[in-house]
Amino acid sequence: MNKLMYKKRSIVVFVLPTVIIYTLIVVIPIFISAYLGLFKWNGVGAMQFHGFANYQKLISVDPVFRQALINSLILAAASIFIQLPIAFILALVLSNGVKFEKFFRTVYFIPVILSSMVIAQLWLRIFNADYGLLNGLLNAVGLSKLAQPWMANTSTAFTCTVIPAIWQFIGQYILIMYAGMKAISGDMYEAAKIDGATGWQSMTRITIPLLSPVIKVCLIFSLTGSFKSFDLVFAMTNGGPFHSTELPSTVMYSNLFSAGAYGYGSAQAVFIVIECLVATLIIQLLFKKSEAEASAV
């Protein structure tokens, strides 16, 4: 009994510093933001209590934040239905063994470790109307009619930010899925092959079910990353033109540091946190059954 208590105390001693730091830099600021979201405040003068008026405004009144929310959902959908499937296919190819496997793993991961500011400048030069690579290629192949100022057009600007956002983090999900695939025992594939299973059947009945915990993590990362995305869009467009590329975080930044609306900006920050938590909870519930089945295999 004494030995068990000693182990528990040892665990507490090692975990406590992390809990304290996490509480100070994450939990407390969230509660402070939730509190400030109840007030109309410019950061300097007296605070006027508004109740839930700020939260009601961002959901039902503010057209800029509504557009930003729609954009974040589009980015999330692109991450789920474009980014993750591409990452899965490439991870599947790498895990089956190809020439220069380590080289490709490294190359795919390079964009992930680059600064988002660097990524933004790279793609701004690709989409530049005057000397950009995209317009240059269109002119070279006789499609000059399609060339346009991509970043200045409200109908194309947001797509031009989604493409680099997807491209930048594909390597991260490739490595996560690749590691999960490598952890699956090869004996299972050998047994399935002996039983006459095709490659498609092995993938759908062995790889995907056993990879469900990894897929769940990738989904959580991609969804929450889309909802709180900021730096790439901020560096490429700063929310323009005419708020067509705004995301909740860029609108929040503008309210907090440009408009001086600390109360309203804090309400938006809390909304982003709640959005990420709800998305995480939904994914956890959706994958609960599949994880139980995978663990029983």
Short mmCIF file of all heavy atoms in Angstrom, two decimals, residues 60-115:
data_model
loop_
_atom_site.label_atom_id
_atom_site.label_comp_id
_atom_site.label_asym_id
_atom_site.label_seq_id
_atom_site.Cartn_x
_atom_site.Cartn_y
_atom_site.Cartn_z
N SER A 60 -25.28 36.15 -35.60
CA SER A 60 -26.47 36.50 -36.38
C SER A 60 -26.42 37.87 -37.04
O SER A 60 -27.26 38.15 -37.90
CB SER A 60 -27.71 36.43 -35.48
OG SER A 60 -27.58 37.34 -34.38
N VAL A 61 -25.46 38.72 -36.69
CA VAL A 61 -25.47 40.10 -37.18
C VAL A 61 -24.29 40.42 -38.08
O VAL A 61 -24.46 40.98 -39.17
CB VAL A 61 -25.52 41.11 -36.01
CG1 VAL A 61 -25.50 42.54 -36.54
CG2 VAL A 61 -26.74 40.88 -35.15
N ASP A 62 -23.08 40.04 -37.65
CA ASP A 62 -21.86 40.45 -38.34
C ASP A 62 -21.67 39.67 -39.65
O ASP A 62 -21.36 38.47 -39.63
CB ASP A 62 -20.67 40.21 -37.41
CG ASP A 62 -19.39 40.81 -37.96
OD1 ASP A 62 -19.37 41.22 -39.13
OD2 ASP A 62 -18.40 40.89 -37.21
N PRO A 63 -21.82 40.32 -40.82
CA PRO A 63 -21.67 39.60 -42.10
C PRO A 63 -20.22 39.20 -42.38
O PRO A 63 -19.98 38.19 -43.05
CB PRO A 63 -22.17 40.60 -43.14
CG PRO A 63 -21.98 41.94 -42.50
CD PRO A 63 -22.18 41.73 -41.03
N VAL A 64 -19.26 39.97 -41.86
CA VAL A 64 -17.84 39.66 -42.08
C VAL A 64 -17.48 38.37 -41.35
O VAL A 64 -16.82 37.48 -41.91
CB VAL A 64 -16.94 40.82 -41.62
CG1 VAL A 64 -15.47 40.43 -41.74
CG2 VAL A 64 -17.22 42.07 -42.44
N PHE A 65 -17.91 38.25 -40.10
CA PHE A 65 -17.60 37.04 -39.34
C PHE A 65 -18.34 35.84 -39.91
O PHE A 65 -17.80 34.73 -39.92
CB PHE A 65 -17.97 37.21 -37.87
CG PHE A 65 -17.47 36.10 -36.99
CD1 PHE A 65 -16.16 36.08 -36.56
CD2 PHE A 65 -18.29 35.04 -36.63
CE1 PHE A 65 -15.67 35.05 -35.77
CE2 PHE A 65 -17.82 34.00 -35.85
CZ PHE A 65 -16.51 34.01 -35.41
N ARG A 66 -19.55 36.06 -40.42
CA ARG A 66 -20.30 34.97 -41.03
C ARG A 66 -19.58 34.46 -42.27
O ARG A 66 -19.48 33.24 -42.49
CB ARG A 66 -21.71 35.44 -41.38
CG ARG A 66 -22.63 34.32 -41.84
CD ARG A 66 -24.10 34.68 -41.69
NE ARG A 66 -24.44 35.93 -42.34
CZ ARG A 66 -24.85 37.02 -41.70
NH1 ARG A 66 -24.97 37.01 -40.38
NH2 ARG A 66 -25.13 38.13 -42.35
N GLN A 67 -19.04 35.38 -43.08
CA GLN A 67 -18.26 34.98 -44.25
C GLN A 67 -17.00 34.24 -43.83
O GLN A 67 -16.59 33.25 -44.44
CB GLN A 67 -17.90 36.21 -45.08
CG GLN A 67 -17.07 35.91 -46.33
CD GLN A 67 -17.79 35.01 -47.31
OE1 GLN A 67 -18.95 35.27 -47.65
NE2 GLN A 67 -17.13 33.97 -47.78
N ALA A 68 -16.36 34.73 -42.76
CA ALA A 68 -15.16 34.08 -42.24
C ALA A 68 -15.46 32.66 -41.77
O ALA A 68 -14.66 31.74 -41.99
CB ALA A 68 -14.57 34.91 -41.10
N LEU A 69 -16.60 32.48 -41.13
CA LEU A 69 -17.00 31.15 -40.66
C LEU A 69 -17.24 30.21 -41.84
O LEU A 69 -16.81 29.04 -41.82
CB LEU A 69 -18.25 31.26 -39.80
CG LEU A 69 -18.78 29.97 -39.17
CD1 LEU A 69 -17.73 29.32 -38.29
CD2 LEU A 69 -20.06 30.25 -38.38
N ILE A 70 -17.90 30.71 -42.88
CA ILE A 70 -18.13 29.90 -44.09
C ILE A 70 -16.79 29.50 -44.71
O ILE A 70 -16.59 28.35 -45.13
CB ILE A 70 -19.00 30.67 -45.10
CG1 ILE A 70 -20.41 30.85 -44.55
CG2 ILE A 70 -19.05 29.94 -46.44
CD1 ILE A 70 -21.29 31.77 -45.37
N ASN A 71 -15.86 30.46 -44.78
CA ASN A 71 -14.54 30.18 -45.35
C ASN A 71 -13.81 29.10 -44.55
O ASN A 71 -13.13 28.24 -45.13
CB ASN A 71 -13.69 31.45 -45.39
CG ASN A 71 -14.15 32.41 -46.47
OD1 ASN A 71 -14.89 32.05 -47.38
ND2 ASN A 71 -13.71 33.65 -46.39
N SER A 72 -13.91 29.16 -43.23
CA SER A 72 -13.24 28.16 -42.40
C SER A 72 -13.84 26.78 -42.61
O SER A 72 -13.13 25.77 -42.59
CB SER A 72 -13.31 28.55 -40.92
OG SER A 72 -14.63 28.42 -40.41
N LEU A 73 -15.16 26.72 -42.85
CA LEU A 73 -15.81 25.43 -43.14
C LEU A 73 -15.37 24.89 -44.50
O LEU A 73 -15.18 23.68 -44.66
CB LEU A 73 -17.33 25.58 -43.08
CG LEU A 73 -17.92 25.90 -41.71
CD1 LEU A 73 -19.42 26.17 -41.83
CD2 LEU A 73 -17.66 24.78 -40.72
N ILE A 74 -15.20 25.79 -45.47
CA ILE A 74 -14.71 25.37 -46.79
C ILE A 74 -13.29 24.84 -46.67
O ILE A 74 -12.94 23.80 -47.26
CB ILE A 74 -14.76 26.56 -47.78
CG1 ILE A 74 -16.21 26.95 -48.06
CG2 ILE A 74 -14.05 26.19 -49.08
CD1 ILE A 74 -16.36 28.22 -48.87
N LEU A 75 -12.46 25.53 -45.89
CA LEU A 75 -11.08 25.09 -45.68
C LEU A 75 -11.05 23.73 -44.97
O LEU A 75 -10.25 22.85 -45.31
CB LEU A 75 -10.32 26.13 -44.86
CG LEU A 75 -8.85 25.82 -44.52
CD1 LEU A 75 -8.04 25.60 -45.79
CD2 LEU A 75 -8.25 26.95 -43.70
N ALA A 76 -11.94 23.55 -44.00
CA ALA A 76 -12.02 22.26 -43.29
C ALA A 76 -12.45 21.14 -44.23
O ALA A 76 -11.90 20.04 -44.19
CB ALA A 76 -13.00 22.38 -42.12
N ALA A 77 -13.43 21.44 -45.10
CA ALA A 77 -13.89 20.43 -46.06
C ALA A 77 -12.77 20.07 -47.04
O ALA A 77 -12.59 18.89 -47.38
CB ALA A 77 -15.11 20.95 -46.82
N ALA A 78 -12.01 21.07 -47.48
CA ALA A 78 -10.89 20.81 -48.38
C ALA A 78 -9.83 19.96 -47.70
O ALA A 78 -9.22 19.08 -48.32
CB ALA A 78 -10.28 22.13 -48.86
N SER A 79 -9.62 20.22 -46.42
CA SER A 79 -8.63 19.43 -45.67
C SER A 79 -9.06 17.97 -45.55
O SER A 79 -8.25 17.05 -45.68
CB SER A 79 -8.44 20.03 -44.27
OG SER A 79 -7.94 21.35 -44.34
N ILE A 80 -10.35 17.75 -45.29
CA ILE A 80 -10.85 16.39 -45.09
C ILE A 80 -10.94 15.62 -46.40
O ILE A 80 -10.52 14.45 -46.48
CB ILE A 80 -12.23 16.43 -44.40
CG1 ILE A 80 -12.09 16.97 -42.98
CG2 ILE A 80 -12.86 15.04 -44.36
CD1 ILE A 80 -13.42 17.22 -42.28
N PHE A 81 -11.47 16.26 -47.44
CA PHE A 81 -11.78 15.53 -48.68
C PHE A 81 -10.70 15.63 -49.75
O PHE A 81 -10.78 14.94 -50.77
CB PHE A 81 -13.12 16.03 -49.24
CG PHE A 81 -14.28 15.76 -48.33
CD1 PHE A 81 -14.91 16.80 -47.68
CD2 PHE A 81 -14.72 14.47 -48.11
CE1 PHE A 81 -15.98 16.57 -46.82
CE2 PHE A 81 -15.79 14.22 -47.26
CZ PHE A 81 -16.41 15.27 -46.61
N ILE A 82 -9.71 16.49 -49.55
CA ILE A 82 -8.61 16.60 -50.53
C ILE A 82 -7.27 16.28 -49.86
O ILE A 82 -6.54 15.39 -50.31
CB ILE A 82 -8.56 18.01 -51.16
CG1 ILE A 82 -9.87 18.30 -51.91
CG2 ILE A 82 -7.37 18.12 -52.11
CD1 ILE A 82 -9.96 19.71 -52.47
N GLN A 83 -6.97 16.99 -48.79
CA GLN A 83 -5.66 16.84 -48.14
C GLN A 83 -5.44 15.45 -47.56
O GLN A 83 -4.42 14.80 -47.85
CB GLN A 83 -5.53 17.91 -47.05
CG GLN A 83 -4.16 17.99 -46.41
CD GLN A 83 -4.14 19.04 -45.31
OE1 GLN A 83 -4.89 18.96 -44.35
NE2 GLN A 83 -3.27 20.03 -45.47
N LEU A 84 -6.38 14.98 -46.75
CA LEU A 84 -6.21 13.69 -46.09
C LEU A 84 -6.23 12.51 -47.06
O LEU A 84 -5.42 11.58 -46.92
CB LEU A 84 -7.26 13.51 -44.99
CG LEU A 84 -7.16 14.47 -43.80
CD1 LEU A 84 -8.18 14.10 -42.73
CD2 LEU A 84 -5.76 14.47 -43.21
N PRO A 85 -7.13 12.47 -48.07
CA PRO A 85 -7.05 11.36 -49.03
C PRO A 85 -5.73 11.32 -49.79
O PRO A 85 -5.18 10.23 -50.02
CB PRO A 85 -8.23 11.65 -49.98
CG PRO A 85 -9.20 12.39 -49.14
CD PRO A 85 -8.37 13.25 -48.25
N ILE A 86 -5.21 12.48 -50.20
CA ILE A 86 -3.91 12.50 -50.89
C ILE A 86 -2.82 11.98 -49.96
O ILE A 86 -1.97 11.19 -50.36
CB ILE A 86 -3.58 13.93 -51.37
CG1 ILE A 86 -4.55 14.35 -52.49
CG2 ILE A 86 -2.13 14.00 -51.88
CD1 ILE A 86 -4.38 15.79 -52.93
N ALA A 87 -2.85 12.43 -48.71
CA ALA A 87 -1.86 11.98 -47.73
C ALA A 87 -1.96 10.48 -47.51
O ALA A 87 -0.94 9.78 -47.40
CB ALA A 87 -2.06 12.72 -46.41
N PHE A 88 -3.20 9.96 -47.46
CA PHE A 88 -3.39 8.52 -47.26
C PHE A 88 -2.82 7.72 -48.42
O PHE A 88 -2.13 6.71 -48.21
CB PHE A 88 -4.88 8.22 -47.09
CG PHE A 88 -5.20 6.76 -46.93
CD1 PHE A 88 -5.09 6.15 -45.69
CD2 PHE A 88 -5.59 5.99 -48.02
CE1 PHE A 88 -5.37 4.80 -45.53
CE2 PHE A 88 -5.88 4.64 -47.88
CZ PHE A 88 -5.77 4.05 -46.63
N ILE A 89 -3.09 8.15 -49.65
CA ILE A 89 -2.60 7.43 -50.83
C ILE A 89 -1.08 7.43 -50.87
O ILE A 89 -0.44 6.39 -51.10
CB ILE A 89 -3.18 8.06 -52.11
CG1 ILE A 89 -4.69 7.82 -52.17
CG2 ILE A 89 -2.51 7.48 -53.35
CD1 ILE A 89 -5.40 8.61 -53.25
N LEU A 90 -0.47 8.59 -50.63
CA LEU A 90 0.99 8.68 -50.66
C LEU A 90 1.61 7.86 -49.52
O LEU A 90 2.65 7.21 -49.71
CB LEU A 90 1.42 10.14 -50.57
CG LEU A 90 1.09 11.00 -51.79
CD1 LEU A 90 1.46 12.46 -51.54
CD2 LEU A 90 1.81 10.49 -53.03
N ALA A 91 0.98 7.88 -48.34
CA ALA A 91 1.48 7.07 -47.22
C ALA A 91 1.38 5.59 -47.53
O ALA A 91 2.27 4.80 -47.19
CB ALA A 91 0.70 7.40 -45.95
N LEU A 92 0.30 5.20 -48.21
CA LEU A 92 0.11 3.80 -48.58
C LEU A 92 1.18 3.35 -49.57
O LEU A 92 1.74 2.25 -49.44
CB LEU A 92 -1.28 3.62 -49.20
CG LEU A 92 -1.78 2.20 -49.41
CD1 LEU A 92 -1.92 1.47 -48.08
CD2 LEU A 92 -3.11 2.21 -50.16
N VAL A 93 1.50 4.21 -50.52
CA VAL A 93 2.54 3.89 -51.50
C VAL A 93 3.90 3.75 -50.81
O VAL A 93 4.65 2.80 -51.05
CB VAL A 93 2.60 4.96 -52.60
CG1 VAL A 93 3.81 4.74 -53.51
CG2 VAL A 93 1.32 4.95 -53.43
N LEU A 94 4.20 4.71 -49.92
CA LEU A 94 5.50 4.68 -49.22
C LEU A 94 5.61 3.46 -48.30
O LEU A 94 6.68 2.84 -48.22
CB LEU A 94 5.68 5.95 -48.40
CG LEU A 94 6.00 7.24 -49.17
CD1 LEU A 94 6.10 8.42 -48.21
CD2 LEU A 94 7.30 7.10 -49.95
N SER A 95 4.52 3.12 -47.62
CA SER A 95 4.58 2.01 -46.66
C SER A 95 4.74 0.67 -47.35
O SER A 95 5.19 -0.30 -46.74
CB SER A 95 3.31 2.01 -45.80
OG SER A 95 2.16 1.74 -46.59
N ASN A 96 4.36 0.59 -48.62
CA ASN A 96 4.50 -0.67 -49.37
C ASN A 96 5.92 -0.85 -49.90
O ASN A 96 6.22 -1.89 -50.49
CB ASN A 96 3.50 -0.72 -50.53
CG ASN A 96 2.09 -0.98 -50.04
OD1 ASN A 96 1.89 -1.62 -49.01
ND2 ASN A 96 1.11 -0.47 -50.77
N GLY A 97 6.75 0.14 -49.68
CA GLY A 97 8.14 0.03 -50.08
C GLY A 97 8.39 0.51 -51.49
O GLY A 97 7.93 -0.11 -52.45
N VAL A 98 9.04 1.64 -51.64
CA VAL A 98 9.41 2.18 -52.94
C VAL A 98 10.89 2.56 -52.90
O VAL A 98 11.49 2.69 -51.82
CB VAL A 98 8.57 3.42 -53.30
CG1 VAL A 98 7.12 3.05 -53.51
CG2 VAL A 98 8.71 4.50 -52.24
N LYS A 99 11.46 2.76 -54.05
CA LYS A 99 12.84 3.22 -54.10
C LYS A 99 12.94 4.62 -53.51
O LYS A 99 12.07 5.46 -53.72
CB LYS A 99 13.33 3.23 -55.56
CG LYS A 99 14.14 2.01 -55.95
CD LYS A 99 14.79 2.22 -57.31
CE LYS A 99 15.71 1.02 -57.60
NZ LYS A 99 16.42 1.21 -58.90
N PHE A 100 14.02 4.87 -52.79
CA PHE A 100 14.27 6.17 -52.18
C PHE A 100 13.15 6.56 -51.20
O PHE A 100 12.70 7.69 -51.14
CB PHE A 100 14.44 7.26 -53.23
CG PHE A 100 15.43 6.93 -54.30
CD1 PHE A 100 15.00 6.72 -55.60
CD2 PHE A 100 16.78 6.79 -54.01
CE1 PHE A 100 15.90 6.39 -56.60
CE2 PHE A 100 17.69 6.47 -55.00
CZ PHE A 100 17.26 6.27 -56.30
N GLU A 101 12.68 5.58 -50.45
CA GLU A 101 11.57 5.80 -49.50
C GLU A 101 11.90 6.88 -48.49
O GLU A 101 11.08 7.78 -48.24
CB GLU A 101 11.27 4.48 -48.78
CG GLU A 101 10.13 4.53 -47.81
CD GLU A 101 9.86 3.18 -47.16
OE1 GLU A 101 10.10 2.15 -47.80
OE2 GLU A 101 9.40 3.18 -45.99
N LYS A 102 13.09 6.84 -47.90
CA LYS A 102 13.48 7.84 -46.91
C LYS A 102 13.58 9.23 -47.53
O LYS A 102 13.23 10.24 -46.90
CB LYS A 102 14.82 7.45 -46.27
CG LYS A 102 14.74 6.21 -45.40
CD LYS A 102 16.09 5.89 -44.76
CE LYS A 102 16.00 4.64 -43.89
NZ LYS A 102 17.31 4.31 -43.27
N PHE A 103 14.07 9.28 -48.77
CA PHE A 103 14.19 10.56 -49.46
C PHE A 103 12.81 11.20 -49.65
O PHE A 103 12.62 12.39 -49.37
CB PHE A 103 14.86 10.35 -50.82
CG PHE A 103 14.80 11.56 -51.72
CD1 PHE A 103 15.65 12.63 -51.51
CD2 PHE A 103 13.89 11.61 -52.78
CE1 PHE A 103 15.59 13.75 -52.34
CE2 PHE A 103 13.83 12.72 -53.60
CZ PHE A 103 14.68 13.79 -53.38
N PHE A 104 11.84 10.42 -50.12
CA PHE A 104 10.50 10.95 -50.33
C PHE A 104 9.85 11.38 -49.02
O PHE A 104 9.14 12.39 -48.98
CB PHE A 104 9.63 9.92 -51.04
CG PHE A 104 9.94 9.76 -52.50
CD1 PHE A 104 10.39 8.54 -53.01
CD2 PHE A 104 9.81 10.83 -53.37
CE1 PHE A 104 10.68 8.40 -54.34
CE2 PHE A 104 10.10 10.69 -54.72
CZ PHE A 104 10.55 9.48 -55.21
N ARG A 105 10.08 10.61 -47.95
CA ARG A 105 9.54 11.00 -46.64
C ARG A 105 10.05 12.37 -46.24
O ARG A 105 9.29 13.20 -45.74
CB ARG A 105 9.95 9.97 -45.58
CG ARG A 105 9.11 8.72 -45.58
CD ARG A 105 9.21 7.94 -44.27
NE ARG A 105 10.45 8.13 -43.56
CZ ARG A 105 11.31 7.16 -43.28
NH1 ARG A 105 11.08 5.94 -43.72
NH2 ARG A 105 12.39 7.40 -42.59
N THR A 106 11.31 12.61 -46.46
CA THR A 106 11.92 13.88 -46.09
C THR A 106 11.40 15.02 -46.96
O THR A 106 11.05 16.09 -46.45
CB THR A 106 13.46 13.81 -46.24
OG1 THR A 106 13.94 12.72 -45.44
CG2 THR A 106 14.11 15.10 -45.79
N VAL A 107 11.31 14.78 -48.26
CA VAL A 107 10.85 15.81 -49.19
C VAL A 107 9.42 16.23 -48.89
O VAL A 107 9.10 17.42 -48.88
CB VAL A 107 10.98 15.31 -50.65
CG1 VAL A 107 10.25 16.26 -51.61
CG2 VAL A 107 12.43 15.19 -51.05
N TYR A 108 8.55 15.24 -48.63
CA TYR A 108 7.16 15.56 -48.34
C TYR A 108 7.02 16.39 -47.06
O TYR A 108 6.08 17.18 -46.94
CB TYR A 108 6.34 14.27 -48.18
CG TYR A 108 6.12 13.52 -49.48
CD1 TYR A 108 6.10 12.13 -49.50
CD2 TYR A 108 5.94 14.19 -50.68
CE1 TYR A 108 5.89 11.43 -50.68
CE2 TYR A 108 5.74 13.50 -51.86
CZ TYR A 108 5.73 12.12 -51.86
OH TYR A 108 5.53 11.43 -53.03
N PHE A 109 7.95 16.20 -46.12
CA PHE A 109 7.82 16.88 -44.83
C PHE A 109 8.45 18.28 -44.84
O PHE A 109 8.19 19.06 -43.92
CB PHE A 109 8.48 16.03 -43.73
CG PHE A 109 8.09 16.44 -42.34
CD1 PHE A 109 6.80 16.21 -41.89
CD2 PHE A 109 8.98 17.07 -41.50
CE1 PHE A 109 6.42 16.58 -40.61
CE2 PHE A 109 8.61 17.45 -40.22
CZ PHE A 109 7.33 17.20 -39.77
N ILE A 110 9.23 18.61 -45.84
CA ILE A 110 9.92 19.91 -45.86
C ILE A 110 8.95 21.10 -45.74
O ILE A 110 9.19 22.03 -44.96
CB ILE A 110 10.81 20.04 -47.12
CG1 ILE A 110 12.04 19.16 -46.97
CG2 ILE A 110 11.24 21.49 -47.36
CD1 ILE A 110 12.92 19.11 -48.21
N PRO A 111 7.84 21.14 -46.50
CA PRO A 111 6.92 22.29 -46.35
C PRO A 111 6.38 22.48 -44.94
O PRO A 111 6.08 23.61 -44.53
CB PRO A 111 5.78 21.96 -47.33
CG PRO A 111 6.40 21.04 -48.32
CD PRO A 111 7.39 20.22 -47.55
N VAL A 112 6.26 21.39 -44.18
CA VAL A 112 5.72 21.48 -42.83
C VAL A 112 6.64 22.27 -41.92
O VAL A 112 6.18 23.04 -41.06
CB VAL A 112 5.49 20.06 -42.24
CG1 VAL A 112 4.91 20.16 -40.83
CG2 VAL A 112 4.55 19.27 -43.14
N ILE A 113 7.95 22.12 -42.10
CA ILE A 113 8.91 22.78 -41.21
C ILE A 113 9.24 24.20 -41.67
O ILE A 113 9.90 24.95 -40.94
CB ILE A 113 10.21 21.96 -41.07
CG1 ILE A 113 10.90 21.82 -42.43
CG2 ILE A 113 9.92 20.61 -40.47
CD1 ILE A 113 12.24 21.10 -42.36
N LEU A 114 8.78 24.58 -42.86
CA LEU A 114 9.00 25.95 -43.33
C LEU A 114 8.03 26.90 -42.65
O LEU A 114 6.89 26.54 -42.32
CB LEU A 114 8.81 26.03 -44.85
CG LEU A 114 9.86 25.33 -45.73
CD1 LEU A 114 9.48 25.49 -47.19
CD2 LEU A 114 11.24 25.89 -45.47
N SER A 115 8.46 28.13 -42.45
CA SER A 115 7.59 29.15 -41.88
C SER A 115 6.42 29.43 -42.81
O SER A 115 6.56 29.44 -44.04
CB SER A 115 8.38 30.43 -41.64
OG SER A 115 7.52 31.52 -41.36
#
